[in-house]
Amino acid sequence: SQLERSQERWRWPLGAPNSGNPLLDEDGVFAQVGNNGPVFFVAGSIFGVPTVRTFTVPAGRPIFFPVINNLFIETPPPECAGSVACALARVSPFIDDATALTATLDGLNLLAAGVSGFRQTSSAFFSVDLPDGNLFGAPKDTYDAVSDGYWVAVEGLSAGPHTLIFGATSGRFLVDVTANLRVP
């Protein structure tokens, strides 16, 4: 399901240390790091500024990416003590406030049918493994997390170059990613 894909997509960058984290990727050099599953994940951006990346996508692999998303991880000391409602209250307002959602592939509007069907909100905690040197500065361990956001899946791309553009705003935060994809 799309929700399971979104959870697995979170595990991908969160399992990487900052030194190779796809969320900190400014140009595409980290796009392949740990990206070995049946779906090729494309990272969003946490910089709040336009980000342009260039990388290769394996032929035939579907791609999956967040237009905009948010995550809560229950790191010590616990804020929500196992309450999914509490955790979602930390992430969902940011997504509720999202505007100007866009996702295009080679100029084709991927959200033409409307954005509501693309929203995926956790209904339960899922686990994430944080390594040493992680984004949150938390001790290496397995943590409970929830996420909310808008996610898009695209079936395998044809050989050649493609341009994927996605993003949104929430408050003063901006997601604006241009991914120049090469498919062999």
Side-chain angles (χ1 to χ4, degrees), residues 23-45:
L23 292 174
L24 301 176
D25 190 355
E26 294 185 34
D27 58 11
V29 70
F30 301 144
Q32 306 287 344
V33 172
N35 206 345
N36 306 319
V39 173
F40 189 87
F41 298 122
V42 177
S45 176

Side-chain angles (χ1 to χ4, degrees), residues 11 24 28 36 45 48 56 59 93 107 130 135 153 164 170:
R11 289 181 184 109
L24 301 176
N36 306 319
S45 176
T56 299
L130 298 182
L135 286 173
L164 175 66
S170 183

Side-chain angles (χ1 to χ4, degrees), residues 73-128:
I73 297 179
E74 186 75 89
T75 58
E79 290 181 53
C80 290
S83 168
V84 173
C86 169
L88 286 174
R90 304 287 194 283
V91 295
S92 293
F94 178 82
I95 300 303
D96 292 340
D97 291 344
T99 60
L101 280 74
T102 185
T104 64
L105 179 64
D106 301 331
L108 176 67
N109 181 1
L110 300 174
L111 304 176
V115 298
S116 63
F118 293 94
R119 189 162 183 181
Q120 300 294 320
T121 305
S122 295
S123 57
F125 283 106
F126 61 96
S127 64
V128 295

Side-chain angles (χ1 to χ4, degrees), residues 32 40 55-61 63 156-162 180-184:
Q32 306 287 344
F40 189 87
F55 52 90
T56 299
V57 174
R61 284 189 43 207
I63 61 171
L157 302 174
S158 60
H162 298 277
N180 297 305
L181 312 175
R182 294 181 304 252
V183 179

